[in-house]
């Protein structure tokens, strides 16, 4: 069985999504809604990383349960975001970050689908329950990125 490969990739993808959400939150500190919502969504992905790591133990995988924090550059990113909030370029950077988050969340969503289908075929009720519990949150992350792009892009691109 190759469920271990799916779990390993899902773990990697959720970790990357969590890190990208934290970076976006720090980079766009002046956009309060983006800053706070991205932090909340990153916490969901961090919880998914822990859950996948625990599920991976049944498949002899040693996956870390922690998502590395934003790191030592967080204060610098926040300060730069506040200083440049009135310039047009941060808006374009925000759109680029939201596009990246949308693509990343779409990939994670597909990984949850793969895990759910594989778990069902393997009759692994625990993995199926994990996918059933976590996938809807990933879909909400994806929808948030999409909705935020729709709201902000007209303002940013026509100003």
């Amino acid at each position: 069985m190759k469920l271990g490969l799916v779990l390993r990739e899902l773990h990697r993808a959720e970790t990357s999504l969590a890190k990208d959400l934290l970076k976006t939150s720090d980079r766009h500190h002046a956009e309060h809604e983006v800053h706070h919502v991205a932090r909340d969504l990153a916490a969901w992905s961090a919880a998914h990383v822990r859950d996948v790591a625990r599920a991976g133990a049944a498949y002899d995988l040693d996956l870390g349960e922690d998502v590395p924090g934003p790191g030592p550059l967080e204060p610098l990113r926040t300060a730069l975001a506040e200083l440049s909030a009135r310039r047009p370029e941060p808006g374009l950077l925000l759109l680029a970050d939201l596009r990246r988050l949308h693509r990343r969340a779409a990939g994670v969503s597909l990984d949850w689908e793969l895990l759910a289908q594989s778990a069902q075929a393997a009759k692994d009720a625990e993995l199926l329950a994990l996918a059933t519990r976590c996938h809807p949150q990933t879909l909400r992350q994806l929808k948030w990125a999409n909705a935020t792009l729709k709201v902000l892009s007209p303002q940013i691109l026509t100003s």
Side-chain angles (χ1 to χ4, degrees):
M1 244 189 284
K2 296 172 184 68
L3 280 171
L5 295 173
V6 176
L7 287 167
R8 187 180 305 281
E9 176 55 23
L10 183 56
H11 183 270
R12 186 206 58 76
E14 280 283 11
T15 300
S16 293
L17 179 57
K19 285 193 223 178
D20 282 352
L21 283 161
L22 290 173
K23 285 179 188 175
T24 298
S25 172
D26 293 341
R27 189 177 290 144
H28 303 288
H29 191 267
E31 285 286 336
H32 297 291
E33 181 181 342
V34 170
H35 172 72
H36 293 291
V37 173
R39 286 231 175 261
D40 291 342
L41 298 179
W44 288 358
S45 283
H48 296 171
V49 167
R50 284 189 297 278
D51 292 344
V52 170
R54 291 175 188 143
Y59 291 88
D60 295 325
L61 297 174
D62 185 18
L63 304 171
E65 290 192 21
D66 295 324
V67 174
L73 296 180
E74 176 185 5
L76 180 60
R77 277 194 294 265
T78 300
L80 288 174
E82 289 173 0
L83 288 173
S84 63
R86 294 187 181 94
R87 297 181 49 104
E89 296 84 1
L92 296 176
L93 179 60
L94 175 57
L95 291 181
D97 286 344
L98 289 168
R99 288 178 69 236
R100 182 174 22 268
L101 289 173
H102 187 275
R103 287 190 308 268
R104 180 96 56 206
V108 172
S109 176
L110 287 172
D111 289 341
W112 281 117
E113 287 285 352
L114 290 174
L115 182 65
Q117 294 300 314
S118 302
Q120 195 169 20
K123 296 182 181 7
D124 187 328
E126 288 182 30
L127 278 186
L128 183 57
L130 174 65
T132 302
R133 185 177 70 250
C134 295
H135 189 212
Q137 289 181 324
T138 301
L139 290 173
R140 288 177 64 191
Q141 291 169 319
L142 180 62
K143 288 177 185 176
W144 171 79
N146 189 48
T148 306
L149 279 165
K150 286 179 181 180
V151 168
L152 295 178
S153 63
Q155 299 165 343
I156 292 169
L157 295 175
T158 60
S159 65

